Every structure is written in structure tokens, then in C-alpha cells.
Amino acid sequence: MSVFRDDFLWGGACAANQFEGAWDVDGKGDSVPDHCTNGSHTSPKRITEAFEPDALYPSHEAIDFYHHYEEDIALFAEMGFKVFRTSINWTRIFPTGEETEPNEAGLAFYDRVFDCCKRHGIEPLVTISHYELPYALAKKYNGWADRRLVGYYMNYCKAIFERYKDKVKYWLTFNEINAGTMRFGSILSLGTCQGYTGVAFEVPDDIQTRYQALHHQFVASAEAVVYAHEHYPQFKMGNMIAFSAAYPLTCDPNDVVAAQQQMDNMDWYCGDVQCLGEYPYFAKRFWAENGIQLRMEPGDEELLKKGVVDFYTFSYYMSTCITTHTDGQAIEGNLVGGAKNPYLKASDWGWQIDPVGLRWSLDQIYARYRIPLMVVENGLGAFDEKGPDGKIHDSYRIDYLRAHIQQMAEAVKDGVDLMGYTPWGCIDLVSASTGEMAKRYGFIYVNKFDDGTGDLSRERKDSFYWYQKVIATNGEELD
Ligand code: BGP
């Protein structure tokens, strides 16, 4: 007997800017990622205001899901997907973010995508904003630093809610909203990069601006949830957090406190606002010690209280260790690095692989919020080489996913209410951190390479057939 619910949502996840391509087609405007060049593990991607003729902008073509969606969704259906997590490209609907009328051609594209999902019995799970802010809003307003973004976001939400009310039930307000607690977030999610050109993740940091911008996102998220609940009671509204599982490197109590603070700032700061409807108890001290003066408007506190989400979703790739000692060896990671854990191995990109940490995270989150959870990103970014038979034998990816599913099952046995699982990049796509194609996550291989070449053809990897079996047996058959 499977431990997972009968209606468990098995599927996969993608984000518009990382796989759609067609960046200027059918009236689409340019978004912040459209201004980012490619990079690699060793050479960072850049953001440019003007498009440089010799530079490569990977989002412009990506894997061209825009013109391959029927083929791709058919492949997802062949694996047995129950759910497909994707995002709407804000700039397809409102090219600069400021229009009063949505772009019909953009809306029609997602009608086609959701209809195609429906034909295959796949439920869409839509991230409203996944690192795809209209560039015009970054340029004119310094992104979310300006409270007027709340209004533009709401215009966008109202347009897509009304249009897709019969096609989409599950919505996530912001991807990895806690990216805003880190410098990375300035480019990725907050768009607080007005006038900046250079290495993307080296935007001059201003913590006051960042936390104010994040507050505006909380307000926008809450307003969207309240609006959705009032007008579309059938909707289920979720948040999305890049979950950082942080362990103390040693049992030195100072390390324990440091690890706790890391999780407070990275995980619970945003989770508490979106699930409990208020800033956590430690926020005041954090603001004071970091010189942050948060400007709240009358009514904000009530709005946050009312706008709590129905379910909690998160990405989980790795864990990290925190230490107050100087001898820890640094590691890289999804948004956040830390110290090396001697018990864990890392991916080729230095992310420490820790399936047990997923069970621990699920238990921690569920203990705190007691609402249904969903793992909406997880996976192994790896170099895939074709074997002599011309196929991708990605046993390393299967091993990674199997171990994580086994730990999800343990968490379910612990009593966690887990709704579903959508591994990241179910079809190969552009990396958010480096802009590479070479960092592949998919069950489906795409012939597209870092230099922009490739015929975009799709091929099933070994993991495709493996995942098909996992879904068919509701997670029981993992070999
Ligand atoms: C998350 C993002 C995704 C995705 C993933 C993998 O932070 O929500 O957009 O890309 O990480 O990261 P990367 O692409 O850098 O390997």
C-alpha cells in the first residue's frame, strides 16, 4: 500500500523565462531575465540594459516551449503527470507591467497550454511571478522597492484569475519569495536593479531597500490571496519558499544558535508572514540590528493577517552547515551557501545532496504551520553525456530522486500532510543561477547547448521511464 495519498500530485516544474523562449513574440515585453546573458559555474552571468549584439541571452530562445508545448505536454502525460507546475510570463500579459488592458495574444497562449494540459488530464499549478518581472518596472520604479508595484501585480493577477478561472485551481503568488532576504534576490525576484549593468548577482546591495521591497511583495501576495478567496472560492492559493535546511556544523551552542538564526532569516521570516499572517517574533530585533526601518501603511497588518495561504510549497535541493568557527570549508548552494558537511556528497555545482534533510524539513515546516505541504522543486543539476547507444543513462539522477522520494514517504509516515511533488526542470531548461543549458535536471533531454546551438529535439532519458513507473505505482515502485 502506498503511503502517499490517492490523489497525490505527481508531476514536474518549470518556469516561463527558463523554458518558453519566444521572448519578443506575439507582443511580449522584455523581462529582467531577458536582459541577462549566459554564464557558467565559473563565469558569472551579466545583466545589460541594451542588448549586446555579441552576447547570448539564453531566455530568448531557451528550449522554445512556446512552439513545442504540445509535444512537451504529451511527453509529460506519457510519464503520467497529474500536475504540471509552470509560470505565466508577466510580460506576455502586460508587456511593460503598466498597460491597462492585457495582451490578448499572450493570454491566448496560456489558454492553449492549459487546454492541452486538460486534454491530457494534467492539472496546472501556476506560479504567478517566477523571476520574470517586466524590465520596464525595474527600470522605472526600481522594481518592488516602489509600492506601486503592488497595484501592477494586482492588475496582472486580476487579468489571469478571470481568464483562467475555469482552467487553473492551484496558484503560487511568488516563486521563492525569500530570495528577497538575500542579495541574489535583487535581480532574481525584487527587480531592484534600476540602471544597473554588470555581473548580475553583484548589484550594489542595500538591505533597507531589499526588505522594504520584500514587504511590498508580502502585501501583494496577501492582497492576491484575499482577492482570490473572495472572487474565486474554488482557488487554492499557495506560497513558495526556497527552503534552507541549515544544521549547526558542531555542537558548540554558538553554532546551534547561528544555524537557528540562519533558518529564522531564510525560512521562517517569510513563511510566518505568509502562513501565520504576521512577522515573526524575532523580526524587530533583526530590523533594529540591521538598520532596517520598515514602512508599513495603515491596514497592512490586517491585510497580512487575512491573506494567509491555503498550502505551503517549497523548493528543496540541498542542506548546508552553519558555523561560528573559521575552519569550515565553504560550499555553494541554491541561493545560500555555508560550510561543508563531512557526511554529504555534492553535485557538480557544489550543492550538497541530502535526502534525509528533506524529511527533516518537511517535519519542521509541518510542525510550524499545520497546512498541506508540497515539494514543488527538487532535483539534480548534472552534466548529461550520451552513451554509445546515443541515449542518456542518468542513473545518478534516478538515485537522487529515489532517495528524496523515500524520505518524503518517511515524512508522510511521520504524519506530514503532503499534497504532491514536482521535481524541477522536468524537461531540460536554462539554469536560473548560471544561465547554462549544461546544468540539466530533466527527464527529457533537449538538444540545446550553451553556445546557443542545437536542433531543440527532445529525447527520453532513463529517468523518464523510471519516473513513469514511480507515478504509476503512486511512489511504491522506486527501483
Ligand atoms: C530555484 C529556482 C528555479 C531553478 C532552480 C534550480 O532557485 O526557483 O528557477 O532554476 O532553483 O536552480 P539552477 O537553475 O540555478 O540550477
Side-chain angles (χ1 to χ4, degrees), residues 23 25-32 34 88-108 110 128 132-138 149-164:
W23 74 290
V25 170
D26 290 338
K28 181 181 169 298
D30 45 322
S31 61
V32 172
D34 291 332
I88 293 180
N89 233 324
W90 188 338
T91 51
R92 282 200 198 285
I93 314 300
F94 291 101
T96 67
E98 287 195 279
E99 293 79 1
T100 47
E101 288 302 316
N103 171 33
E104 176 52 36
L107 287 169
Y110 295 103
I128 298 168
E132 286 136 354
L133 187 74
Y135 188 73
L137 295 180
L149 271 270
V150 177
Y152 295 128
Y153 176 85
M154 282 310 297
N155 289 346
Y156 166 50
C157 285
K158 287 177 186 171
I160 58 177
F161 287 171
E162 183 54 23
R163 179 74 168 222
Y164 307 123

Side-chain angles (χ1 to χ4, degrees), residues 18 130 175-176 317 334 351 377 424 431-433 439 441:
Q18 292 171 253
H130 189 136
N175 180 64
E176 297 188 334
Y317 291 91
N334 182 30
W351 297 17
E377 286 186 31
W424 175 249
S431 158
S433 56
K439 190 179 188 188
Y441 288 87

